[in-house]
């Protein structure tokens, strides 16, 4: 190609047996956590993400907003402490959640996504 790249050989197979143009299997398990108000486990190949929503619930007075819910997002890996990467992801996800959740329906409450 013009950029020095070679086109993908779609007849080739990967080490695990998938075709070069074949995606890894994706699955979704709904409600794997019985104590959450909503939860799901997403798996893609060897990567798995467990997400849960709690709330609306009680919010600390210092975090209370009189006209809408407070959104809290917590990101944790399976191992090790949270670092800058997790905190950046929490900030990004909080913005996404705030843009799609009708927080005005539950003012002065907390919605926690973990």
């Amino acid at each position: 190609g013009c950029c020095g790249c070679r086109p993908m050989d779609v007849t080739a197979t990967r080490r695990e047996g998938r075709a070069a143009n074949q995606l890894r299997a994706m699955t979704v398990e709904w409600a794997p956590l019985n104590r959450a108000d909503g939860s799901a486990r997403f798996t893609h190949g060897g990567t798995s993400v467990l997400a849960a929503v709690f709330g609306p619930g009680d919010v600390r007075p210092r975090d209370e907003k009189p006209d809408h819910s407070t959104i809290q997002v917590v990101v944790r890996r399976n191992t090790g402490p949270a670092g800058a990467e997790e905190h950046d992801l929490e900030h990004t996800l909080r913005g996404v959640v705030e843009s799609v959740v009708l927080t005005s329906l539950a003012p002065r409450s907390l919605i926690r996504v973990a």
Side-chain angles (χ1 to χ4, degrees), residues 55-76:
D58 294 334
V59 64
R60 291 186 292 206
R62 71 177 186 171
D63 296 329
E64 187 176 285
K65 298 175 183 172
D67 57 344
H68 58 276
S69 302
T70 298
I71 302 290
Q72 179 186 53
V73 176
V74 179
V75 173
R76 295 292 178 260

Side-chain angles (χ1 to χ4, degrees), residues 17-57:
R18 286 185 298 124
N21 62 350
Q22 184 181 13
L23 295 176
R24 290 181 178 97
M26 290 188 271
T27 60
V28 176
E29 176 188 357
W30 296 104
L33 301 175
N34 59 4
R35 294 174 67 192
D37 292 305
S39 64
R41 181 185 327 271
F42 303 91
T43 304
H44 182 225
T47 302
S48 182
V49 174
L50 178 62
V53 175
F54 302 89

